[in-house]
Amino acid sequence: MTDLYQSQRAMRHMRRAAMQRGVIAILDVGSSKIACLILRFDGPERLREADGVGSMAGQSQFRVIGAATTRSRGVRFGEISVMNETERAIRTAVQAAQKMANVRVDHVIACFSGAEPRSYGLAGEWDLQDSVVTEQDVARVLAACDVPDIGEGREVLHAQPVNFALDHRTGLGDPRGQIGNRLACDMHLLSVEATVIQNLLYCIKRCDLELAGVASSAYVSGVSSLVEDEQELGAACIDMGGGSTGISVFIKKHMIYADAVRMGGDHVTSDISKGLQVPLAVAEKIKTKHGGVHATGMDDRDMIEISADSGDWEKDRRTVSRTELIGIMRPRVEEILEEARARLDAAGFDSLPSQQIVLTGGASQIPGLDGLAARILGQRVRLGRPLRVQGLPQAVTGPAFASAVGLCLFAAHPQDEWWDFDIPAERYPARSLKRAIKWFKDNW
Amino acid sequence: MQPLSAIPPRRDPAPSRAAYRMQRLWLTPLFRALMRVGLPAFAIMMVLGIYLSSESRRDALSGGFASLRDSFQERPQFMVGLLAIDGASPALAATIRATLNLALPQSSFDIDLDATRAQIEALDGVASADLRIKAGGILQADITERVPAVVWRGLANVELLDETGRRVRLVAARTDRADLPLVAGEGADKAVPEALQILAAAGPVMPRMRGLVRMGERRWDLVLDRGQRILLPTEAPVRALERLIALDQAEDLLKRDVLAIDLRLQDRPVLRLAPYALSEMRRARGIDTSESDL
């Protein structure tokens, strides 16, 4: 626990150092593509022309100065499976982005979608000594949360205080300075497989970069593609990626649940490949050009030529109707959405006041997906695109880059996590002097 | 598992580790500056240093440069062959030539005009000099001589002084320049302008004038013939002299048997009579001094 606490703190310091330097890289390690964005922080003042609220409500304190994507290699289900290949892919993306930005970056914030994220809700209580809530009290109440057994070989990725309650008042965002007797807090803890993080860390280290933060891609896509009122009132973001589909539930601008379905667009492609007996590359091309989930009468007459280079004329000249293609794709997409539905139901999404569902990620671009999703997930479904950030090239504004853009916002405005607060004085063996002073203060 | 030594893809878009590191290094600002400025500068310095490290090369380089410079400076267009002196008496001109001692012909680059001019102006007889190199290789010196204003008989020798008191030249005897007034006494040369003012005011007594004597480096005595002296005050000697001349014109003071007229006290001029005149005056007044010291 302390080890993770220290490493997360170290990453936070690294992030602060990178912000001071002004340049930081964003790395989205996905199963189908690896995206690298380079951000330059130059403060909100420099880009502001007039007084008042700045553009993008103050989010514009950074600017994207380099962007590159490359086909992902060696990543399956959002986890690194072949280290060398992934390292090469990361190098390609980072080098291209550096070339575009014409700066060297040393710090990188990364996100990934796999590693079987699991959410836990934690609660803690603390009796205040002197009726005013101080920062130390917040740290103590966070430390008082009883950590569940997250399992062997798992690490905490996010531990965010979601809610504070002071006596009978709940829903406090920041309890510091308030007066009460008993402080309680709810914390959301997201745990992932430790080996996945270690692999990612190793890959990034091999590229001479330093990790200044890690985030779950489900969380950061929610940050970028949910609009403010959705985040406030309660919404779920379903990030349909290549190898896995991330689910995150937000309320009151806090993530309260995250999960991942280990299925994504790549499975649709492999279904097409198997069904039509074509190579994966051709299947991917057919999926993106002609794919869909709703068959109409017109689609029976819409014949798709399947080119292949097997040398057999009969096999290379086949055609298939679009209805058949949809017939292959739809069950898989339905399966993914039903799985997501099951996860949301298990998380108690039904009891949220607003049940908005936002579909984002590369696989959400299948035509007709919103209609299908509405039948499975409920009526309040929309397709989401990430927020616009300054300097982002047009090519990377699509839903496939929701997590990369979300990571930019995460880099600029990270939420307070457990490790942003100091360890309470009681738990510091080295702070015995402070404890002695406190004892004197309390007894005289 | 596939063999680890599998044939790599034909065209790997990923940069090699070395290329990646190189690009990152190249994007480092300090390294970039070093490569773009530091390295060329170092290379140039290195080549120069190696070339100049040998004594013979250095000598050849400096010798080549010197010979090139000499061959340019010694072209006939730049040679000065003649020193022409205008406005100086023949004796002074000879002195100037002897002082400068120029080895003509000489390149005009080697002649330091300012120093030469200072050398000429350091001579006593020269008030100012104007030195320039004219076309045709002539070094032209236009001299303004000092004009002697008084003859000064000093302690050791007789000198001519100009109106500011600067020495012009020695003369053998005062009679060499009988046309100039004579001043004498120690420190007289420092008060020549005042002496000239006194002389200008002394017009009516000029025929009887012998000269001016500086007394105690402080004031002037006007010496007339018959051994008469006029003792002028330190302050405003010209006005005192003018008053005396007025007195003389009214009462013929200077024609009388007076040895000295003391004007040092402004409101009480004092006469010193000759011994005979004094005894005559006492006798006329009936004063008997035979038994006193007077």
Side-chain angles (χ1 to χ4, degrees):
Chain A
M1 185 188 94
T2 332
D3 187 31
L4 169 97
Y5 188 92
Q6 298 299 347
S7 67
Q8 289 276 19
R9 284 201 88 138
M11 283 205 264
R12 275 299 155 96
H13 284 305
M14 206 98 82
R15 180 190 150 267
R16 209 159 300 139
M19 298 269 278
Q20 291 261 299
R21 259 210 211 172
V23 177
I24 198 165
I26 294 299
L27 198 63
D28 174 19
V29 183
S31 321
S32 63
K33 58 137 185 41
I34 288 180
C36 179
L37 304 182
I38 292 178
L39 308 185
R40 195 184 62 208
F41 290 91
D42 27 28
E45 302 83 27
R46 240 182 281 176
L47 299 172
R48 288 267 289 275
E49 293 98 28
D51 283 343
V53 178
S55 57
M56 310 289 303
Q59 300 267 22
S60 64
Q61 63 166 316
F62 63 84
R63 191 179 174 85
V64 179
I65 54 170
T69 42
T70 183
R71 190 170 64 95
S72 183
R73 297 152 66 182
V75 182
R76 293 181 64 209
F77 305 118
E79 298 158 11
I80 293 167
S81 62
V82 188
M83 294 274 254
N84 289 346
E85 292 287 302
T86 312
E87 185 202 324
R88 284 204 191 102
I90 291 175
R91 273 208 311 253
T92 316
V94 170
Q95 188 182 40
Q98 275 182 348
K99 199 170 178 180
M100 179 174 165
N102 205 21
V103 290
R104 175 195 164 134
V105 285
D106 290 321
H107 299 95
V108 64
I109 296 183
C111 75
F112 57 93
S113 57
E116 296 180 20
R118 265 181 234 154
S119 276
Y120 299 90
L122 275 57
E125 279 190 340
W126 179 258
D127 285 320
L128 297 179
Q129 258 122 17
D130 46 349
S131 69
V132 177
V133 182
T134 61
E135 194 139 343
Q136 276 289 311
D137 288 322
V138 175
R140 280 191 203 110
V141 73
L142 291 178
C145 292
D146 43 351
V147 181
D149 180 20
I150 56 174
E152 192 66 28
R154 291 184 72 85
E155 287 266 26
V156 178
L157 186 60
H158 292 290
Q160 296 167 337
V162 198
N163 183 28
F164 287 99
L166 197 56
D167 296 338
H168 57 277
R169 290 183 297 140
T170 185
L172 301 177
D174 184 359
R176 281 174 299 175
Q178 303 211 37
I179 295 173
N181 295 314
R182 193 169 181 76
L183 183 68
C185 112
D186 298 315
M187 187 149 75
H188 172 237
L189 187 140
L190 190 71
S191 75
V192 291
E193 291 284 340
T195 48
V196 176
I197 293 196
Q198 277 161 11
N199 286 351
L200 182 69
L201 212 83
Y202 182 72
C203 264
I204 284 171
K205 191 143 283 180
R206 292 258 296 166
C207 295
D208 304 335
L209 298 167
E210 284 190 88
L211 199 60
V214 275
S216 156
S217 95
Y219 168 51
V220 289
S221 351
V223 168
S224 75
S225 52
L226 297 184
V227 297
E228 203 166 340
D229 55 323
E230 286 169 348
Q231 281 185 16
E232 180 71 35
L233 297 173
C237 173
I238 297 181
D239 177 15
M240 303 176 73
S244 79
T245 298
I247 300 157
S248 57
V249 179
F250 280 73
I251 192 165
K252 292 196 171 170
K253 296 190 178 158
H254 287 289
M255 176 174 69
I256 55 164
Y257 176 77
D259 206 340
V261 177
R262 286 164 79 80
M263 272 186 289
D266 285 353
H267 297 84
V268 179
T269 308
S270 80
D271 284 351
I272 294 169
S273 168
K274 285 170 193 160
L276 301 181
Q277 294 179 347
V278 289
L280 273 176
V282 178
E284 179 73 29
K285 193 175 138 194
I286 291 170
K287 182 184 84 173
T288 48
K289 273 182 86 173
H290 307 286
V293 286
H294 271 296
T296 59
M298 175 67 185
D299 290 331
D300 286 332
R301 300 189 295 278
D302 191 354
M303 301 306 280
I304 303 163
E305 285 194 13
I306 298 170
S307 57
D309 51 0
S310 62
D312 182 353
W313 195 86
E314 288 295 336
K315 188 169 188 283
D316 290 355
R317 296 282 107 197
R318 277 178 303 151
T319 55
V320 67
S321 73
R322 187 156 180 249
T323 311
E324 279 176 274
L325 178 66
I326 288 172
I328 295 170
M329 287 176 70
R330 181 168 170 135
R332 181 61 85 168
V333 176
E334 276 179 348
E335 191 189 353
I336 294 170
L337 291 175
E338 271 162 9
E339 193 69 31
R341 171 83 248 171
R343 301 290 168 99
L344 285 176
D345 285 345
F349 183 63
D350 300 339
S351 50
L352 289 191
S354 155
Q355 292 168 21
Q356 179 75 50
I357 290 175
V358 177
L359 295 172
T360 185
S364 73
Q365 288 164 300
I366 303 172
L369 181 72
D370 47 345
L372 179 65
R375 287 175 56 184
I376 295 170
L377 299 170
Q379 282 305 309
R380 304 195 55 187
V381 170
R382 72 173 180 92
L383 295 177
R385 295 168 71 82
L387 202 72
R388 307 283 299 261
V389 295
Q390 252 188 345
L392 199 66
Q394 181 63 36
V396 299
T397 53
F401 294 89
S403 52
V405 172
L407 207 51
C408 296
L409 302 178
F410 173 79
H413 298 281
Q415 269 185 1
D416 277 349
E417 305 220 26
W418 174 40
W419 33 82
D420 288 326
F421 295 92
D422 285 329
I423 297 176
E426 289 85 11
R427 305 217 166 186
Y428 254 130
R431 293 267 179 94
S432 48
L433 185 69
K434 217 171 184 180
R435 284 176 65 190
I437 292 169
K438 190 169 156 34
W439 185 82
F440 266 93
K441 265 188 185 170
D442 290 350
N443 291 279
W444 271 283
Chain B
M1 188 176 170
Q2 286 181 348
L4 287 174
S5 58
I7 305 156
R10 209 178 306 148
R11 198 190 64 82
D12 192 353
S16 66
R17 279 179 80 79
Y20 174 77
R21 288 216 172 121
M22 200 58 223
Q23 195 227 12
R24 282 171 65 78
L25 190 64
W26 189 242
L27 283 173
T28 311
L30 186 67
F31 179 79
R32 225 182 150 95
L34 212 65
M35 283 315 240
R36 288 172 62 179
V37 181
L39 196 68
F42 177 74
I44 290 169
M45 295 310 287
M46 187 83 179
V47 167
L48 275 180
I50 289 172
Y51 184 75
L52 292 180
S53 62
S54 146
E55 178 111 17
S56 60
R57 287 206 204 104
R58 269 200 310 260
D59 287 349
L61 205 65
S62 59
F65 178 70
S67 71
L68 197 71
R69 193 189 59 198
D70 288 349
S71 68
F72 178 76
Q73 289 184 351
E74 283 168 11
R75 294 165 93 170
Q77 289 89 335
F78 297 130
M79 295 305 278
V80 172
L82 190 69
L83 171 64
I85 299 175
D86 279 354
S89 60
L92 184 59
T95 315
I96 291 171
R97 277 177 206 282
T99 315
L100 294 182
N101 196 17
L102 284 174
L104 298 174
Q106 199 177 6
S107 168
S108 59
F109 286 96
D110 297 338
I111 298 175
D112 185 352
L113 283 182
D114 284 334
T116 313
R117 179 163 162 266
Q119 212 177 347
I120 293 174
E121 289 190 339
L123 291 173
D124 283 334
V126 180
S128 69
D130 190 9
L131 202 64
R132 62 183 185 274
I133 293 169
K134 290 208 299 188
I138 298 169
L139 181 61
Q140 174 74 45
D142 290 331
I143 308 290
T144 312
E145 279 195 64
R146 283 190 198 283
V147 183
V150 293
V151 180
W152 177 39
R153 181 175 287 143
L155 284 179
N157 37 33
V158 183
E159 292 176 355
L160 298 184
L161 303 181
D162 76 348
E163 58 203 6
T164 60
R166 267 294 304 263
R167 203 181 104 114
V168 179
R169 66 171 177 274
L170 281 180
V171 285
R174 189 260 180 279
T175 44
D176 287 358
R177 292 300 297 263
D179 55 327
L180 293 179
L182 178 72
V183 295
E186 203 175 332
D189 54 337
K190 295 188 184 75
V192 169
E194 199 185 27
L196 289 174
Q197 283 175 11
I198 294 169
L199 288 168
V205 294
M206 222 39 191
R208 292 187 53 205
M209 178 87 147
R210 280 290 170 81
L212 283 167
V213 181
R214 188 71 171 165
M215 301 303 285
E217 298 192 32
R218 180 165 57 84
R219 59 175 198 86
W220 290 103
D221 269 8
L222 196 64
V223 179
L224 304 179
D225 57 0
R226 293 201 282 120
Q228 268 185 341
R229 268 178 181 255
I230 299 167
L231 280 66
L232 295 172
T234 313
E235 303 288 325
V238 176
R239 281 191 57 205
L241 183 60
E242 280 169 353
R243 282 218 309 280
L244 174 75
I245 287 165
L247 201 63
D248 177 46
Q249 281 168 351
E251 309 209 359
D252 267 351
L253 185 62
L254 291 175
K255 287 204 180 104
R256 303 185 188 219
D257 196 4
V258 176
L259 280 183
I261 303 165
D262 190 347
L263 300 174
R264 284 177 295 180
L265 293 176
Q266 193 188 343
D267 40 1
R268 208 170 76 174
V270 178
L271 302 184
R272 191 192 304 156
L273 301 184
Y276 176 72
L278 187 62
S279 59
E280 278 301 300
M281 192 187 75
R282 281 176 180 158
R283 197 174 52 78
R285 289 194 183 167
I287 301 167
D288 185 14
T289 60
S290 57
E291 285 161 9
S292 73
D293 286 341
L294 286 172

